Amino acid sequence: KKENTIMALFLKADWENIIMANYEIDPQILQPYLPKGVEIDLFEGKCYISLVGFMFKNTQLFNIPIPWFGTFEEINLRFYVVRKEGNQIKRGVVFINETIPYPIVAWVANKLYKEHYTVVPTRHKQILGADSHQIKFEWLLDNKWNSIAVTYSDANQPMKSNSLEKFIYEHYYGYTKVSDKKTEEYKLQHPSWKTHTLSNYEIDCDFQAMYGEDFAVLNETKPAAVFIAKGSKVGIEWKRNQLKV
C-alpha cells in the first residue's frame, strides 16, 4: 500500500510564500484557453485571473529528489474553473503559462504533464524582520527584470469561509487543454493554507510581453486583491483523467 501511495504521487515539493495578485478579467478573454469539459468558476459573479509567485523547494519525482534542480522560483498565470460531475463539484485551475529557471525541469513537466512551462532566469530576495517580512520574486524577460513583491506580517491565520482568499487558494484540481477536444484532469494534495496580512505590494509585470496580446489589458488593471499564503508540502497525483465530454 505504501508503494502504491508513493507511485500515486508524481511530484512532491514544498511550496512556500505563495503570492497571488488577483485581477478581475472579462471571461471572454479566457475562452480560447478554456479546456473542454469545464466552465469558468466565478466568485460573487466575477471572473479572476492570478499572477502567482512562490518558492518550489525540495522537489521529488516519484519520491526521488532532484539534485541541483530541486529548489527554484516559479511564476505563473492561472485562472479558475469548475467541473460538475453528477453531484460532485470539482474546482480547479488552468495555467496560461508556468515559468521556471531550469530547462530540464520544464522539459520533464511538459513531456509528462503536457503543461505550458517556459524557461527564463529567475531570482528572489527575502528580508525577515522581527514583526514583518518582505519577499520579492523576479524573472528576466527581454533584458528587463519583472517582479512581484509583498511586505507582510509574521503572524498567519486560517482563511475565512466564503472569502475571496479561500476561493483563490482552494482549487484542488488542475485541468490541461491538450487540444480543442482533449482535456486532462489531475489532483493536487495539500492542507488548507494559512495566510499573512499584507501591508504593501509592488508588481512590475509586462503581461503582454510575457503572456501575449490577449493579456495586455492586465498592464492597465490594478489587482482587486493581493494575498500571500505560508504554504506547505504539496503532492501532485500521477493519475491523469481524460475527460469524457
Side-chain angles (χ1 to χ4, degrees), residues 67-85:
W68 302 296
F69 303 115
T71 296
F72 49 87
E73 302 85 359
E74 178 175 318
I75 313 300
N76 66 57
L77 188 68
R78 71 184 210 169
F79 66 96
Y80 305 92
V81 297
V82 61
R83 176 166 170 78
K84 294 162 185 171
E85 291 182 346

Side-chain angles (χ1 to χ4, degrees), residues 59-177:
T59 309
Q60 298 182 12
L61 295 178
F62 297 120
N63 239 35
I64 301 169
I66 310 175
W68 302 296
F69 303 115
T71 296
F72 49 87
E73 302 85 359
E74 178 175 318
I75 313 300
N76 66 57
L77 188 68
R78 71 184 210 169
F79 66 96
Y80 305 92
V81 297
V82 61
R83 176 166 170 78
K84 294 162 185 171
E85 291 182 346
N87 294 326
Q88 188 178 13
I89 294 176
K90 295 180 174 180
R91 295 202 135 80
V93 299
V94 175
F95 292 100
I96 300 294
N97 175 276
E98 295 166 89
T99 301
I100 58 176
Y102 296 136
I104 185 65
V105 179
W107 182 86
V108 169
N110 288 335
K111 192 79 174 171
L112 295 180
Y113 279 8
K114 302 182 178 67
E115 285 289 0
H116 312 108
Y117 276 83
T118 56
V119 178
V120 299
T122 64
R123 65 189 185 191
H124 78 284
K125 181 166 66 176
Q126 187 171 21
I127 300 171
L128 300 178
D131 299 314
S132 74
H133 310 318
Q134 297 175 13
I135 189 159
K136 183 178 189 178
F137 296 107
E138 297 181 275
W139 60 102
L140 186 64
L141 187 69
D142 299 333
N143 298 313
K144 177 186 181 296
W145 284 98
N146 291 249
S147 62
I148 182 169
V150 296
T151 304
Y152 60 99
S153 67
D154 183 52
N156 55 73
Q157 56 280 325
M159 290 180 278
K160 292 177 183 172
S161 298
N162 304 316
S163 63
L164 176 59
E165 236 179 5
K166 202 167 180 68
F167 171 83
I168 291 294
Y169 280 111
E170 303 221 325
H171 283 73
Y172 290 100
Y173 289 87
Y175 291 95
T176 305
K177 182 176 182 176

Side-chain angles (χ1 to χ4, degrees), residues 1 4 19 33 38 41 54 70 75 95-96 99-100 107 127 148 189 205 207 215 229 235-236:
K1 188 174 181 181
N4 289 340
I19 302 174
Y33 304 91
V38 299
D41 197 8
F54 68 101
I75 313 300
F95 292 100
I96 300 294
T99 301
I100 58 176
W107 182 86
I127 300 171
I148 182 169
Q189 298 179 2
C205 176
F207 286 93
F215 301 100
I236 298 178

